[in-house]
Amino acid sequence: MPHHASHYLAEGPRVGIRHFTYEDGAEFTARARESKDLHQPWLFPPDSAPAYTAYAARLIEDPSKAGFLVCEKADGSIAGFININNIVEGGFQSGTLGYGAFAHAAGRGLMREGLDLVVRYAFGPMRLHRLEINVQPRNAPSIALARGCGFRLEGFSPNMLFVDGAWRDHERWAITAEMIEEPGRR
């Protein structure tokens, strides 16, 4: 099932990041089905072939989005995904992150390594200046990942996003290119 990428956009000790492909559908949807208990009620990644195709098409074809798969270097298996949505260029140079680990990889530090790679890739080759993450306040693992990767809490937005049938409160976390250069910051 794993896709063996011959080229990663960036690599760490245990994971590499690469863009989504349509060929990743079978592994991605199987991992999403296996991870429902981990993801819900926070996240609902595509778990069928048609849903994955539509999802991947947006990430592959829409220039305001960039999708990254976090893959274990040992065997190429997909550990999770990180998407940059709402990419705005010009004076803003910003994007909004969404992410999820798959159950078999959760709690192993792979997503932290992957998120660090995506942040550096976004501030490097993508030339972005700011990344934001919006997290529901009770989603402790997601908040821990944002904090652990150097994001700072910037605020609270009531009824910000429509998730799982209702408007949900979210904490707003952000990081800028200058923050990853601060001594002792990361």
Side-chain angles (χ1 to χ4, degrees):
M1 209 166 36
H3 172 87
H4 293 281
S6 59
H7 180 267
Y8 289 116
L9 299 166
E11 293 183 50
R14 298 179 299 154
V15 302
I17 58 168
R18 64 178 176 80
H19 288 298
F20 278 71
T21 69
Y22 292 108
E23 292 77 24
D24 293 310
E27 181 182 3
F28 189 98
T29 56
R31 299 279 186 208
R33 288 188 300 273
E34 294 166 358
S35 304
K36 277 190 191 284
D37 290 343
L38 175 67
H39 291 157
Q40 294 178 4
W42 320 112
L43 184 64
F44 299 83
D47 62 1
S48 70
Y52 176 83
T53 299
Y55 178 77
R58 289 189 299 273
L59 294 169
I60 293 167
E61 298 170 19
D62 184 342
S64 72
K65 301 179 186 316
F68 301 91
L69 294 173
V70 177
C71 301
E72 294 189 66
K73 288 172 47 178
D75 62 4
S77 65
I78 301 171
F81 56 96
I82 302 168
N83 301 328
I84 306 176
N85 299 298
N86 308 316
I87 297 171
V88 179
E89 296 179 343
F92 202 40
Q93 293 300 114
S94 181
T96 305
L97 291 172
Y99 49 77
F102 289 124
H104 76 285
R108 296 173 41 208
L110 302 176
M111 287 300 291
R112 178 167 178 174
E113 188 176 321
L115 184 54
D116 281 338
L117 293 171
V118 169
V119 166
R120 292 191 181 279
Y121 187 81
F123 292 156
M126 292 180 72
R127 299 187 333 262
L128 295 179
H129 175 257
R130 177 183 174 86
L131 294 170
E132 299 179 8
I133 298 171
N134 297 299
V135 183
Q136 291 181 55
R138 292 189 337 224
N139 188 344
S142 189
I143 290 171
L145 179 58
R147 183 180 287 120
C149 287
F151 285 73
R152 68 178 170 224
L153 178 62
E154 290 193 335
F156 178 81
S157 297
N159 300 320
M160 181 180 186
L161 293 172
F162 195 77
V163 179
D164 195 25
W167 289 99
R168 308 288 179 184
D169 299 343
H170 280 71
E171 292 181 1
R172 295 186 324 276
W173 293 77
I175 192 169
T176 63
E178 294 85 3
M179 289 170 64
I180 65 168
E181 304 304 324
E182 291 175 10
R185 180 75 186 186
R186 293 172 38 95

